[in-house]
Amino acid sequence: MPNYYQPEIETASREKILEIQNEKIVKQVRHVYENVKYYRDLMDAKGVTPDDIKSVDDIKKLPFLSKEDLRIAYPYGLLGTDLKNCVRIQSTSGTTGRRVVAFYTQEDIDIWEECCARAIVAAGGTNEDVCQVCYGYGLFTGGPGLNGGSHKVGCLTLPMSSGNTERQIQFMMDLGSTILCCTPSYAAYIGESLAEMGYKPEDNKLKAGIFGAEPWTEEMRRSIEKSLGIKAYDIYGLTETSGPGVSFECEEQTGMHINEDHFYAEIIDPDTGEVLPEGEKGELVFTSLDKEAFPLLRYRTRDICVLSRKKCSCGRTHVKMSKPMGRSDDMMIIRGVNVFPSQIEAVLLKEGYPPNYQILVDRVNNTDTLDINVELPPEQFSDKISDIQAREKKLESAMRTMLGIGPKIHLMSPHSVARSEGKAVRVIDKRKLHD
Amino acid sequence: MAVKQLTVFLENRAGKLSEIVKLISDADVNIRAMCIADGSDCGILRLIVSDLEKAQEALKGESIMSAIDVLAVKMSDKAGSLSGILTVLDKAGINIDYMYAFTSPALDAYVVLRVGDNEAAESILKQHGIETLNDGDFT
Ligand SMILES: [Zn+2]
């Protein structure tokens, strides 16, 4: 029996959702135009006025915002209200480029936490659950978002934050946690640790996990579900759009329902910026519909995915997005297949290799070639060449399964894969030199 | 008595082998025997050196290394002596993963053998009057 946190809106008819969206977008665009000079200038430059936006169909007329705009406008350039109305700041770790700083009014936080509450209820959460949140607390949105959602649902919330696995497990076993919220890799680690400590999957009281904030595969989901004895739900979000809870999975596990009463989603061609029809793969773009402090219109997430309006067995009517398949700016087309460095990285980590790698794409006799330089971990070294070759073959076959095309693996000594200052040069596409 | 073989990973990159050899010689370490196993894309350098620790120190951070026990068997530098050693091991059911042979003025001739069970191989060879060398013979 499916449960909803806000049934009227989560199962509203398509017409009802559109009505809400159309009403909200007119206000949101006006709010942005009046309060955010940076975006007003972009609209003026494009010759678009708030009067041109009468429904969500008109969103395509609006200019895009990119990560680069956030960098230029840092820190207050995209603020939609006076700082005195803001009550919270959250931020990204800033591993790529400058960090993103997002602002929230109390109303913004309430909506964000409601979105997280919908995700928790979709995972089977009620006020009888013990919800262990081991996302990081602090500037990172993971901890605060799920913590707030857990409160809204009425779960007994365990604000563990990340790390100290031994203590996590002790609390989990002593207090009978039933829902686990963390990154998928940490969930996998907790699963392994439990097994090492001699616990069987049925020894814990967990029934569900809500995992996000990093890419993970279907294979990883099954292994986490097995090791913890739970059902694992995906959750999506980014600091720019408030945090986790922009979309979340239901029990069907076939994509994440986007909270369409707060976010309008488009899929665009990352090269041309053109809006693509439903079902086509492209870059995900979000427009906030009711943000006060940090409203972003047509924000390009760089995540590549597919939207689907297929009827969902859970009864929710909101559009579903697929798990992001990679980053638009990283996508390579090799022998007609889309390949993302993130996929290659995921295979390396799974096979026990460090995520230091270099991808070399070339064209030989009109056929694309894919070579991957990988660092051989010392513990995988052997004095027998057949052992090393077997490792190469195993990694090649794991890559072929994930990517759909077979690369040539080159094992290198540790620290020998070329790195530039700061960010690693991951991809060298020599085809561009020949063209 | 086994001897230590220094095993070094060679990635497929021009100059890697000469870099490694130069680092060893710069450290004043002599290479007594060596052999390269060639994969399609990378290789493994196997060395018997005069000073294992010094060689390891010299190559630190350069590549992946390991030191493993192998057998170094002395033989007389004449036809048939290697065949005799291999026959003994074969009859005892001892598999050889790889081997490389060298001659030197000081040691006559010897063969380095990588087998699964050093002790078993050594005792069989001893029963047949075949002498194995130790690290001290190479310093
Ligand atoms: Zn559903």
Side-chain angles (χ1 to χ4, degrees):
Chain A
M1 176 63 195
N3 271 309
Y4 315 105
Y5 179 65
Q6 289 160 315
E8 318 81 64
I9 186 66
E10 290 181 69
T11 62
S13 68
R14 183 83 212 109
E15 295 69 38
K16 178 72 192 162
I17 293 172
L18 268 174
E19 195 189 309
I20 294 170
Q21 288 184 324
N22 288 339
E23 193 186 312
K24 283 186 176 182
I25 188 64
V26 172
K27 281 193 204 152
Q28 181 83 119
V29 171
R30 201 164 290 280
H31 171 66
V32 170
Y33 193 83
E34 281 165 11
N35 294 288
V36 183
K37 181 183 180 299
Y38 188 92
Y39 199 79
R40 179 164 65 238
D41 290 346
L42 291 180
M43 281 176 69
D44 289 346
K46 223 176 167 224
V48 189
T49 67
D51 290 336
D52 295 326
I53 312 301
K54 298 186 177 71
S55 75
V56 287
D57 284 339
D58 298 321
I59 286 179
K60 57 180 181 287
K61 297 176 186 165
L62 291 167
F64 289 114
L65 278 174
S66 68
K67 199 143 193 138
E68 179 63 11
D69 290 305
L70 264 62
R71 200 185 62 76
I72 295 167
Y74 175 91
Y76 299 123
L78 290 162
L79 194 62
T81 185
D82 278 352
L83 275 178
K84 68 169 192 281
N85 300 324
C86 298
V87 298
R88 176 91 66 81
I89 284 173
Q90 303 281 173
S91 174
T92 62
S93 59
T95 45
T96 54
R98 192 181 284 174
R99 61 176 49 92
V100 171
V101 173
F103 302 86
Y104 305 72
T105 63
Q106 186 56 49
E107 177 69 13
D108 291 334
I109 286 182
D110 284 338
I111 289 173
W112 175 28
E113 292 179 351
E114 274 171 20
C115 289
C116 290
R118 290 180 193 176
I120 293 170
V121 173
T126 70
N127 59 5
E128 287 175 22
D129 279 295
V130 179
C131 183
Q132 179 163 350
V133 182
C134 24
Y135 283 111
Y137 278 64
L139 283 170
F140 175 53
T141 54
L146 269 306
N147 187 87
S150 176
H151 278 221
K152 286 240 181 321
V153 176
C155 302
L156 179 58
T157 309
L158 269 173
M160 299 294 296
S161 197
S162 51
N164 199 341
T165 308
E166 218 170 281
R167 192 181 59 186
Q168 299 275 7
I169 289 175
Q170 201 183 348
F171 271 84
M172 178 186 292
M173 302 312 274
D174 291 354
L175 300 173
S177 304
T178 54
I179 297 175
L180 181 67
C181 305
C182 60
T183 59
S185 56
Y186 195 55
Y189 184 71
I190 290 178
E192 282 163 31
S193 305
L194 278 170
E196 272 166 27
M197 290 163 78
Y199 290 113
K200 289 195 223 25
E202 59 270 25
D203 291 340
N204 69 64
K205 288 213 166 62
L206 291 173
K207 61 177 187 186
I210 301 172
F211 308 129
E214 64 187 24
W216 52 313
T217 60
E218 204 52 39
E219 209 174 0
M220 199 167 165
R221 185 210 301 266
R222 297 303 160 214
S223 117
I224 293 170
E225 289 187 330
K226 218 172 131 205
S227 71
L228 292 173
I230 60 168
K231 190 155 175 163
Y233 296 83
D234 205 352
I235 186 166
Y236 174 89
L238 48 174
T239 307
E240 293 90 320
T241 57
S242 64
V246 170
S247 65
F248 60 92
E249 256 181 353
C250 59
E251 70 261 21
E252 207 181 77
Q253 293 180 320
T254 53
M256 295 174 275
H257 289 286
I258 295 171
N259 285 310
E260 285 191 280
D261 50 330
H262 302 299
F263 303 99
Y264 182 81
E266 297 169 279
I267 294 288
I268 62 159
D269 179 324
D271 293 327
T272 65
E274 218 165 297
V275 179
L276 297 174
E278 184 201 326
E280 276 194 39
K281 187 194 286 183
E283 182 178 350
L284 181 62
V285 174
F286 277 118
T287 294
S288 61
L289 293 174
D290 47 19
K291 284 283 201 67
E292 293 177 339
F294 203 59
L296 297 186
L297 305 181
R298 297 201 94 193
Y299 180 67
R300 296 182 60 155
T301 63
R302 301 190 300 163
D303 282 326
I304 297 285
C305 64
V306 176
L307 295 183
S308 165
R309 293 205 172 276
K310 229 184 265 164
K311 195 170 185 312
C312 190
S313 60
C314 76
R316 286 179 185 79
T317 48
H318 294 223
V319 70
K320 282 199 284 196
M321 60 177 270
S322 68
K323 191 186 276 297
M325 300 159 198
R327 292 290 202 176
S328 61
D329 38 1
D330 297 339
M331 187 173 88
M332 301 169 278
I333 301 176
I334 303 169
R335 278 174 248 156
V337 177
N338 295 344
V339 175
F340 299 97
S342 55
Q343 295 173 302
I344 289 170
E345 198 164 321
V347 175
L348 289 177
L349 290 170
K350 196 172 145 275
E351 297 290 322
Y353 291 85
N356 294 322
Y357 57 92
Q358 194 160 49
I359 300 164
L360 303 149
V361 187
D362 204 348
R363 188 170 291 140
V364 179
N365 298 329
N366 291 318
T367 304
D368 294 336
T369 59
L370 171 61
D371 291 72
I372 308 173
N373 291 336
V374 176
E375 292 184 358
L376 180 68
E379 63 276 11
Q380 293 215 25
F381 181 49
S382 159
D383 66 315
K384 292 178 206 166
I385 201 84
S386 54
D387 291 349
I388 304 271
Q389 284 172 331
R391 279 178 190 134
E392 271 183 1
K393 286 276 159 303
K394 182 166 182 283
L395 188 55
E396 277 176 7
S397 118
M399 288 285 179
R400 188 173 299 115
T401 307
M402 171 68 121
L403 306 176
I405 56 165
K408 175 84 193 87
I409 298 291
H410 305 271
L411 294 175
M412 316 281 285
S413 349
H415 316 300
S416 66
V417 171
R419 269 168 253 188
S420 67
E421 289 295 306
K423 202 173 180 249
V425 179
R426 292 276 178 235
V427 181
I428 298 173
D429 196 339
K430 292 186 184 160
R431 294 177 301 185
K432 289 174 183 152
L433 301 175
H434 310 321
D435 286 346
Chain B
M1 190 66 134
V3 298
K4 287 274 184 230
Q5 168 187 283
L6 180 61
T7 316
V8 185
F9 176 70
L10 287 179
E11 67 216 26
N12 183 11
R13 183 163 66 75
K16 186 76 190 177
L17 176 61
S18 66
E19 265 170 42
I20 300 240
V21 171
K22 181 159 191 320
L23 284 168
I24 293 175
S25 81
D26 286 352
D28 247 347
V29 175
N30 283 326
I31 297 173
R32 302 297 188 201
M34 71 177 269
C35 144
I36 295 175
D38 220 355
S40 58
D41 187 59
C42 58
I44 296 170
L45 176 64
R46 300 155 182 155
L47 300 163
I48 307 291
V49 293
S50 60
D51 189 330
L52 178 73
E53 275 171 32
K54 256 167 107 180
Q56 283 176 314
E57 189 58 39
L59 296 182
K60 207 180 238 170
E62 203 48 40
S63 187
I64 309 176
M65 289 177 281
S66 67
I68 59 154
D69 284 331
V70 292
L71 287 183
V73 183
K74 193 170 160 61
M75 41 184 195
S76 50
D77 190 4
K78 62 179 189 222
S81 63
L82 177 59
S83 164
I85 293 167
L86 298 184
T87 307
V88 167
L89 293 174
D90 192 33
K91 277 190 178 149
I94 289 171
N95 282 325
I96 299 168
D97 290 321
Y98 56 81
M99 54 173 274
Y100 45 107
F102 276 84
T103 61
S104 92
L107 292 166
D108 209 1
Y110 60 96
V111 58
V112 177
L113 298 169
R114 168 74 153 107
V115 295
D117 185 342
N118 281 330
E119 275 173 34
E122 203 177 348
S123 97
I124 282 290
L125 290 169
K126 202 172 240 168
Q127 283 169 33
H128 289 78
I130 300 167
E131 190 193 336
T132 56
L133 304 173
N134 59 40
D135 285 326
D137 293 316
F138 293 93
T139 49

